[in-house]
Amino acid sequence: MLGGLVSASTEALGGSRFSLLNVLPATVVVTTVVVLARAGAYSPNEPLRFDHVLPEGKRDALAIALFGLAALLCGILLRPFETALIQLLEGYWASPSPIAGLVPATVERHRRRRDDAKTVAEFDFTVPPPGAHSTLRELAHRDRRISRVVRMKSRAEKVRDTYPTDDRLAAEHLEAAAHPTDLLPTLLGNVLRRGERVAGDRYGLDMMVVYPRLYPHISDRLESAVARQFELITSTASLSISFGLLSLATTPLLARLDPWSAAPLLAGALSLLAYRGAIAASRGHSRLLATVFDLHRFDLAKAMHYELPGNPRAEYELNKDITDFLRPGSVAPLRDHETLESKDFKHPDGA
């Protein structure tokens, strides 16, 4: 009976993509704050009394079950707000967000970090060859210098490859005043955006435009891997938000000047750790998205009954035309498209 109830609740709350893990972070925050408040943790001069958490005379299994159910319901009710906070974590700070005014400064910081890393990664560090009479000390110093250069360039390449480039803006001849950069104000958002750009741009496809049409053709194993990785990103980002809120909620415990004063610091550290985990998961997600386009990009042209291109240049041009036609806001009929209107269809046998 309980299994059927959980299954029915799962379907009502979001289908197969929903699980109790989706609401666990918010539930943990609610439970922790309520327990600490009931135990008197927010009273600096009072000892903690965890035996006061449950009402007097109701410390039995039913009371604990009711408390757990109430915490779970609160977690479910807070889930939509948590999703909105995750979007803030990804860098979508458009108005009326209260932090929208920080976008120019944070984007500029990331732009400088990316450009500095690009400069270092592409700089030609030349170490002069050893002389014929170099001493062992000089040779060791040269080897250490080469090792430092290699490590420095490796770190710079890793930072550079975290961010999307502005190549698309230059390719589309967009005005710099109107479109200054393709960057977002958070590192997580930039990692995700780079994955979106790299996956399709190499083939002339805009992932955000064509992915819904490409999705039905993805192999089951690859689709499952993409879904699991996306769920991992959502879970770790959700944990980061929850631990961050818990850190704020437990800040008054600093006034206790006892071991419980470390609670907000520990929650903050866990929030940062979860955020780094979300970034690492996003890098894996980017590789999976690139794999989707590497293996299934021809399925889009085939599904739209166009002849498959015979070389990379023809493929790129066809993909650009398809993306342009499918782009949101494009309402012109296919017969009026500048290039697609003259392309012949190639229908499969029996169609």
Side-chain angles (χ1 to χ4, degrees):
M1 178 178 177
L2 182 59
L5 179 60
V6 171
S7 177
S9 301
T10 295
E11 291 298 324
L13 290 169
S16 60
R17 293 292 182 213
F18 180 86
S19 69
L20 292 181
L21 291 177
N22 294 113
V23 298
L24 180 61
T27 303
V28 170
V29 172
V30 172
T31 302
T32 303
V33 172
V34 171
V35 168
L36 290 176
R38 293 283 299 174
Y42 291 103
S43 299
N45 300 321
E46 297 292 333
L48 268 68
R49 298 291 302 274
F50 286 103
D51 56 330
H52 289 178
V53 172
L54 293 176
E56 190 70 26
K58 296 184 178 179
R59 299 175 188 137
D60 52 19
L62 178 60
I64 295 176
L66 290 176
F67 178 80
L69 179 60
L72 178 61
L73 290 176
C74 289
I76 294 174
L77 292 175
L78 291 175
R79 176 65 178 173
F81 301 98
E82 190 177 45
T83 301
L85 290 175
I86 290 176
Q87 291 180 338
L88 291 179
L89 202 64
E90 293 176 358
Y92 297 101
W93 298 357
S95 297
S97 171
I99 56 177
L102 299 176
V103 171
T106 52
V107 167
E108 178 63 18
R109 172 181 172 274
H110 285 292
R111 186 191 66 79
R112 293 186 180 187
R113 186 169 184 258
R114 180 199 64 186
D115 292 348
D116 289 345
K118 181 180 178 180
T119 300
V120 173
E122 298 177 358
F123 188 80
D124 184 15
F125 290 92
T126 302
V127 179
H133 303 287
S134 298
T135 65
L136 289 177
R137 183 185 297 274
E138 292 172 341
L139 292 175
H141 176 73
R142 179 178 181 274
D143 290 343
R144 288 195 298 269
R145 184 180 179 187
I146 292 175
S147 297
R148 286 196 299 269
V149 169
V150 171
R151 290 196 301 269
M152 183 170 57
K153 287 178 71 68
S154 177
R155 288 194 297 266
E157 289 171 357
K158 185 176 180 180
V159 172
R160 179 198 61 189
D161 295 342
T162 298
Y163 293 99
T165 67
D166 291 334
D167 294 344
R168 174 187 288 200
L169 306 183
E172 295 178 357
H173 307 290
L174 300 177
E175 296 181 6
H179 302 271
T181 184
D182 212 15
L183 296 172
L184 288 170
T186 67
L187 185 58
L188 176 61
N190 284 312
V191 172
L192 289 170
R193 175 160 288 184
R194 176 179 173 83
E196 296 167 359
R197 295 291 187 257
V198 170
D201 283 7
R202 297 177 298 167
Y203 303 113
L205 294 168
D206 187 333
M207 178 194 148
M208 301 305 294
V209 174
V210 305
Y211 193 77
R213 283 89 171 179
L214 194 61
Y215 180 80
H217 305 283
I218 302 175
S219 63
D220 292 339
R221 293 179 63 183
L222 188 54
E223 188 275 333
S224 178
V226 171
R228 286 197 304 269
Q229 196 70 16
F230 183 77
E231 187 66 25
L232 181 60
I233 296 172
T234 303
S235 300
T236 49
S238 180
L239 282 173
S240 178
I241 290 292
S242 297
F243 281 125
L245 294 176
L246 189 59
S247 179
L248 293 176
T250 57
T251 299
L253 270 62
L254 292 172
R256 295 185 61 87
L257 300 180
D258 62 10
W260 284 96
S261 298
L265 303 179
L266 178 61
L270 290 174
S271 176
L272 180 60
L273 182 63
Y275 183 73
R276 301 300 299 183
I279 293 173
S282 298
R283 290 194 173 99
H285 186 64
S286 299
R287 289 190 291 270
L288 287 173
L289 290 180
T291 303
V292 168
F293 280 82
D294 292 341
L295 301 181
H296 293 283
R297 66 187 188 276
F298 289 112
D299 292 335
L300 180 64
K302 185 177 180 181
M304 297 185 70
H305 291 201
Y306 287 114
E307 183 177 1
L308 296 182
N311 58 74
R313 183 178 296 276
E315 176 198 6
Y316 189 87
E317 294 301 325
L318 175 61
N319 289 339
K320 290 287 289 184
D321 293 337
I322 291 176
T323 297
D324 180 62
F325 175 72
L326 298 178
R327 195 177 301 278
S330 176
V331 296
L334 183 60
R335 66 174 183 272
D336 295 334
H337 192 272
E338 183 177 357
T339 54
L340 291 180
E341 59 89 17
S342 60
K343 289 187 179 295
D344 295 329
F345 291 118
K346 183 178 182 181
H347 303 293
D349 295 337

